[in-house]
Amino acid sequence: MFDQLYQTLRTRVLNRLLSPGTRLPSSRKLAQQLNVARNTVIAAYEQLIAEGYLESKSGSGTFVTEELPEAWFQAEAQSHSPPKPIQNIALSNYAEAIRDENVRKNGSNQGFTVGVPDLKGFPARLWNKVSSSIPHAGLTELMGFQYPQGLPELQEVITDYVRSSRAVRCESDQVVITQGAQQALDLCARLLLNPGDPAAMENPGYTGARRALHATGAHVTALPVDEHGVMVSALEQLDPPPKLVYVTPAHHYPLGSVMSLQRRTRLLNWAATHNSWILEDDYDSEYHYQNRPLASLQGLCKNSRVIYIGSFSKVLFPALRLGYTILPKELTNVFTQAKMEHSGETPVHIQATTAAFIQQGYFSKHLKRMRVLYAEKLECMLKACEKLTPWCKIHTHGAGMHLVIEFTAELCEKSVYNQLVKQKVYCSKLSRYYLEEPVKSGLVLGFANSSEEEIRTKVEQIASTIKLAART
Ligand SMILES: Cc1ncc(COP(=O)(O)O)c(C=O)c1O
């Protein structure tokens, strides 16, 4: 009884149901009201007085303490047992679609985690030097809200870069800086699709794009992919025609094929006929080790129906959260407005550092080094993966930072994957990239952040795991 009374009074004080200064009934009266022993009330009052929730004023009675410091309320939050779990939370369709995905955990850059560049190979000291060389006067100017579309210096260097390396046709006022390519995908989807609208994307395809499209409530059709990229013939049969199609023509994600020129022209003709938008995600076109990548779709397109999306996540580092979109002039304003509503400006000091890093020649030097390094790592991967060929087909097109091994033998993808996670071999399941029932199963292995020695060891672990799984 003591406990119950003590907790009730304490909670009432903490929740301010009994406000500071309130006079409590005498112990005799409360005992009568509650039909409990007077000693119980006295004990509860004394405990609360000792803890400072109540105070006794001689001759006038017991009162709620006038000034309960904030820290007491915090202490309450810490000392109490955890709140009861909330049952039956009604989530949106968007939340339902993502709730079971594993959020990346600390340390998940290791192993064959997909999408992580060689972090140790990044010239962090140079980056810091460039960052601290931004002049003070300039720094103050960078603190306000004045570059919603992006820092002009960065827009300029990106324009030069995509024109020369990707044959993108643009002026710098068509460049909008975003929080990674992901924000660009998300905003394009929101701006161009309404619930129920038809959209389409490669299948398998990038999960981030899938989520961005689904989040709008669009009806997303899965387009098959072969060694020439997305199969435009499947697109041509769709009625109604999708309003927007997402593709990764330079290096299909995740299987790796490069979209042929014939497919590119066919896709652009289809888009022109139907007034549809193409989202060209050029996430890692910098890493082609045998041939130069084909020019961008955007550069081939004559009627501005292609929106080009680029990212610094692979060529610098992912935590930078810096990407860019090259939009037709008619869309830049509304896109910038949406970006401001979504996240406000992209941190301007980061933009200034990136622009200076590129202007001072460090970016191209870093890229050249990484291209050589990743080509060597890919070679090492391919050699190591030779031992997997009895059970797997290796998908590689001499590009990128990851490799797909498709299971050709009867293997349970989930159990192989779980076994590998136990051994700290982090990678992705191929099936997770499918919009519908997966057609292939296997593993996606990001190799850029592993040393050659790690590559050999981890592939050895994969081989043993697969061998065992194939036997059982
Ligand atoms: C195909 C593809 N597109 C876009 C992105 C998103 O890049 P960002 O980190 O710039 O948001 C990724 C990230 O891994 C990706 O793999």
mmCIF file with all atom_site columns, all heavy atoms in Angstrom, residues 188-200:
data_model
loop_
_atom_site.group_PDB
_atom_site.id
_atom_site.type_symbol
_atom_site.label_atom_id
_atom_site.label_alt_id
_atom_site.label_comp_id
_atom_site.label_asym_id
_atom_site.label_entity_id
_atom_site.label_seq_id
_atom_site.pdbx_PDB_ins_code
_atom_site.Cartn_x
_atom_site.Cartn_y
_atom_site.Cartn_z
_atom_site.occupancy
_atom_site.B_iso_or_equiv
_atom_site.pdbx_formal_charge
_atom_site.auth_seq_id
_atom_site.auth_comp_id
_atom_site.auth_asym_id
_atom_site.auth_atom_id
_atom_site.pdbx_PDB_model_num
ATOM 1  N N   . CYS A 1 188 ? 12.826 14.026 -57.427 1.00 0.00 ? 188 CYS A N   1
ATOM 2  C CA  . CYS A 1 188 ? 12.318 13.848 -58.796 1.00 0.00 ? 188 CYS A CA  1
ATOM 3  C C   . CYS A 1 188 ? 11.028 13.042 -58.759 1.00 0.00 ? 188 CYS A C   1
ATOM 4  O O   . CYS A 1 188 ? 10.050 13.380 -59.443 1.00 0.00 ? 188 CYS A O   1
ATOM 5  C CB  . CYS A 1 188 ? 13.344 13.117 -59.666 1.00 0.00 ? 188 CYS A CB  1
ATOM 6  S SG  . CYS A 1 188 ? 14.737 14.149 -60.089 1.00 0.00 ? 188 CYS A SG  1
ATOM 7  N N   . ALA A 1 189 ? 11.027 11.979 -57.960 1.00 0.00 ? 189 ALA A N   1
ATOM 8  C CA  . ALA A 1 189 ? 9.832  11.142 -57.878 1.00 0.00 ? 189 ALA A CA  1
ATOM 9  C C   . ALA A 1 189 ? 8.649  11.960 -57.351 1.00 0.00 ? 189 ALA A C   1
ATOM 10 O O   . ALA A 1 189 ? 7.545  11.928 -57.894 1.00 0.00 ? 189 ALA A O   1
ATOM 11 C CB  . ALA A 1 189 ? 10.094 9.935  -56.993 1.00 0.00 ? 189 ALA A CB  1
ATOM 12 N N   . ARG A 1 190 ? 8.880  12.741 -56.307 1.00 0.00 ? 190 ARG A N   1
ATOM 13 C CA  . ARG A 1 190 ? 7.779  13.542 -55.735 1.00 0.00 ? 190 ARG A CA  1
ATOM 14 C C   . ARG A 1 190 ? 7.249  14.580 -56.708 1.00 0.00 ? 190 ARG A C   1
ATOM 15 O O   . ARG A 1 190 ? 6.074  14.911 -56.696 1.00 0.00 ? 190 ARG A O   1
ATOM 16 C CB  . ARG A 1 190 ? 8.286  14.347 -54.544 1.00 0.00 ? 190 ARG A CB  1
ATOM 17 C CG  . ARG A 1 190 ? 8.525  13.558 -53.313 1.00 0.00 ? 190 ARG A CG  1
ATOM 18 C CD  . ARG A 1 190 ? 9.066  14.550 -52.335 1.00 0.00 ? 190 ARG A CD  1
ATOM 19 N NE  . ARG A 1 190 ? 9.690  13.889 -51.224 1.00 0.00 ? 190 ARG A NE  1
ATOM 20 C CZ  . ARG A 1 190 ? 9.436  14.218 -49.972 1.00 0.00 ? 190 ARG A CZ  1
ATOM 21 N NH1 . ARG A 1 190 ? 8.594  15.179 -49.689 1.00 0.00 ? 190 ARG A NH1 1
ATOM 22 N NH2 . ARG A 1 190 ? 10.047 13.606 -48.994 1.00 0.00 ? 190 ARG A NH2 1
ATOM 23 N N   . LEU A 1 191 ? 8.173  15.132 -57.507 1.00 0.00 ? 191 LEU A N   1
ATOM 24 C CA  . LEU A 1 191 ? 7.768  16.226 -58.383 1.00 0.00 ? 191 LEU A CA  1
ATOM 25 C C   . LEU A 1 191 ? 7.083  15.752 -59.656 1.00 0.00 ? 191 LEU A C   1
ATOM 26 O O   . LEU A 1 191 ? 6.329  16.499 -60.271 1.00 0.00 ? 191 LEU A O   1
ATOM 27 C CB  . LEU A 1 191 ? 8.988  17.077 -58.773 1.00 0.00 ? 191 LEU A CB  1
ATOM 28 C CG  . LEU A 1 191 ? 9.595  17.897 -57.644 1.00 0.00 ? 191 LEU A CG  1
ATOM 29 C CD1 . LEU A 1 191 ? 10.882 18.550 -58.086 1.00 0.00 ? 191 LEU A CD1 1
ATOM 30 C CD2 . LEU A 1 191 ? 8.601  18.969 -57.184 1.00 0.00 ? 191 LEU A CD2 1
ATOM 31 N N   . LEU A 1 192 ? 7.365  14.520 -60.043 1.00 0.00 ? 192 LEU A N   1
ATOM 32 C CA  . LEU A 1 192 ? 6.876  14.086 -61.354 1.00 0.00 ? 192 LEU A CA  1
ATOM 33 C C   . LEU A 1 192 ? 5.802  13.005 -61.294 1.00 0.00 ? 192 LEU A C   1
ATOM 34 O O   . LEU A 1 192 ? 5.257  12.628 -62.322 1.00 0.00 ? 192 LEU A O   1
ATOM 35 C CB  . LEU A 1 192 ? 8.066  13.603 -62.207 1.00 0.00 ? 192 LEU A CB  1
ATOM 36 C CG  . LEU A 1 192 ? 9.151  14.672 -62.422 1.00 0.00 ? 192 LEU A CG  1
ATOM 37 C CD1 . LEU A 1 192 ? 10.387 14.084 -63.088 1.00 0.00 ? 192 LEU A CD1 1
ATOM 38 C CD2 . LEU A 1 192 ? 8.610  15.828 -63.256 1.00 0.00 ? 192 LEU A CD2 1
ATOM 39 N N   . LEU A 1 193 ? 5.545  12.491 -60.093 1.00 0.00 ? 193 LEU A N   1
ATOM 40 C CA  . LEU A 1 193 ? 4.564  11.397 -59.986 1.00 0.00 ? 193 LEU A CA  1
ATOM 41 C C   . LEU A 1 193 ? 3.494  11.690 -58.953 1.00 0.00 ? 193 LEU A C   1
ATOM 42 O O   . LEU A 1 193 ? 3.798  12.235 -57.886 1.00 0.00 ? 193 LEU A O   1
ATOM 43 C CB  . LEU A 1 193 ? 5.282  10.102 -59.584 1.00 0.00 ? 193 LEU A CB  1
ATOM 44 C CG  . LEU A 1 193 ? 6.287  9.523  -60.585 1.00 0.00 ? 193 LEU A CG  1
ATOM 45 C CD1 . LEU A 1 193 ? 7.083  8.392  -59.945 1.00 0.00 ? 193 LEU A CD1 1
ATOM 46 C CD2 . LEU A 1 193 ? 5.570  9.023  -61.842 1.00 0.00 ? 193 LEU A CD2 1
ATOM 47 N N   . ASN A 1 194 ? 2.280  11.309 -59.274 1.00 0.00 ? 194 ASN A N   1
ATOM 48 C CA  . ASN A 1 194 ? 1.179  11.345 -58.307 1.00 0.00 ? 194 ASN A CA  1
ATOM 49 C C   . ASN A 1 194 ? 0.814  9.915  -57.936 1.00 0.00 ? 194 ASN A C   1
ATOM 50 O O   . ASN A 1 194 ? 1.160  8.978  -58.670 1.00 0.00 ? 194 ASN A O   1
ATOM 51 C CB  . ASN A 1 194 ? -0.044 12.017 -58.945 1.00 0.00 ? 194 ASN A CB  1
ATOM 52 C CG  . ASN A 1 194 ? 0.106  13.525 -58.946 1.00 0.00 ? 194 ASN A CG  1
ATOM 53 O OD1 . ASN A 1 194 ? 0.572  14.119 -57.979 1.00 0.00 ? 194 ASN A OD1 1
ATOM 54 N ND2 . ASN A 1 194 ? -0.255 14.143 -60.061 1.00 0.00 ? 194 ASN A ND2 1
ATOM 55 N N   . PRO A 1 195 ? 0.082  9.742  -56.811 1.00 0.00 ? 195 PRO A N   1
ATOM 56 C CA  . PRO A 1 195 ? -0.327 8.375  -56.459 1.00 0.00 ? 195 PRO A CA  1
ATOM 57 C C   . PRO A 1 195 ? -1.070 7.719  -57.632 1.00 0.00 ? 195 PRO A C   1
ATOM 58 O O   . PRO A 1 195 ? -1.901 8.355  -58.277 1.00 0.00 ? 195 PRO A O   1
ATOM 59 C CB  . PRO A 1 195 ? -1.254 8.581  -55.261 1.00 0.00 ? 195 PRO A CB  1
ATOM 60 C CG  . PRO A 1 195 ? -0.820 9.879  -54.673 1.00 0.00 ? 195 PRO A CG  1
ATOM 61 C CD  . PRO A 1 195 ? -0.337 10.731 -55.815 1.00 0.00 ? 195 PRO A CD  1
ATOM 62 N N   . GLY A 1 196 ? -0.692 6.475  -57.900 1.00 0.00 ? 196 GLY A N   1
ATOM 63 C CA  . GLY A 1 196 ? -1.375 5.728  -58.968 1.00 0.00 ? 196 GLY A CA  1
ATOM 64 C C   . GLY A 1 196 ? -0.757 5.925  -60.350 1.00 0.00 ? 196 GLY A C   1
ATOM 65 O O   . GLY A 1 196 ? -1.082 5.191  -61.286 1.00 0.00 ? 196 GLY A O   1
ATOM 66 N N   . ASP A 1 197 ? 0.130  6.911  -60.496 1.00 0.00 ? 197 ASP A N   1
ATOM 67 C CA  . ASP A 1 197 ? 0.753  7.132  -61.808 1.00 0.00 ? 197 ASP A CA  1
ATOM 68 C C   . ASP A 1 197 ? 1.619  5.940  -62.193 1.00 0.00 ? 197 ASP A C   1
ATOM 69 O O   . ASP A 1 197 ? 2.267  5.345  -61.329 1.00 0.00 ? 197 ASP A O   1
ATOM 70 C CB  . ASP A 1 197 ? 1.660  8.377  -61.770 1.00 0.00 ? 197 ASP A CB  1
ATOM 71 C CG  . ASP A 1 197 ? 0.877  9.652  -62.029 1.00 0.00 ? 197 ASP A CG  1
ATOM 72 O OD1 . ASP A 1 197 ? -0.286 9.544  -62.459 1.00 0.00 ? 197 ASP A OD1 1
ATOM 73 O OD2 . ASP A 1 197 ? 1.441  10.739 -61.805 1.00 0.00 ? 197 ASP A OD2 1
ATOM 74 N N   . PRO A 1 198 ? 1.720  5.651  -63.482 1.00 0.00 ? 198 PRO A N   1
ATOM 75 C CA  . PRO A 1 198 ? 2.602  4.559  -63.892 1.00 0.00 ? 198 PRO A CA  1
ATOM 76 C C   . PRO A 1 198 ? 4.063  5.028  -63.934 1.00 0.00 ? 198 PRO A C   1
ATOM 77 O O   . PRO A 1 198 ? 4.363  6.110  -64.437 1.00 0.00 ? 198 PRO A O   1
ATOM 78 C CB  . PRO A 1 198 ? 2.107  4.203  -65.296 1.00 0.00 ? 198 PRO A CB  1
ATOM 79 C CG  . PRO A 1 198 ? 1.434  5.441  -65.793 1.00 0.00 ? 198 PRO A CG  1
ATOM 80 C CD  . PRO A 1 198 ? 0.939  6.213  -64.605 1.00 0.00 ? 198 PRO A CD  1
ATOM 81 N N   . ALA A 1 199 ? 4.945  4.213  -63.356 1.00 0.00 ? 199 ALA A N   1
ATOM 82 C CA  . ALA A 1 199 ? 6.387  4.473  -63.420 1.00 0.00 ? 199 ALA A CA  1
ATOM 83 C C   . ALA A 1 199 ? 7.046  3.129  -63.674 1.00 0.00 ? 199 ALA A C   1
ATOM 84 O O   . ALA A 1 199 ? 6.391  2.085  -63.573 1.00 0.00 ? 199 ALA A O   1
ATOM 85 C CB  . ALA A 1 199 ? 6.873  5.078  -62.105 1.00 0.00 ? 199 ALA A CB  1
ATOM 86 N N   . ALA A 1 200 ? 8.329  3.133  -64.013 1.00 0.00 ? 200 ALA A N   1
ATOM 87 C CA  . ALA A 1 200 ? 9.003  1.848  -64.263 1.00 0.00 ? 200 ALA A CA  1
ATOM 88 C C   . ALA A 1 200 ? 10.464 1.965  -63.879 1.00 0.00 ? 200 ALA A C   1
ATOM 89 O O   . ALA A 1 200 ? 11.023 3.065  -63.840 1.00 0.00 ? 200 ALA A O   1
ATOM 90 C CB  . ALA A 1 200 ? 8.882  1.471  -65.739 1.00 0.00 ? 200 ALA A CB  1
#
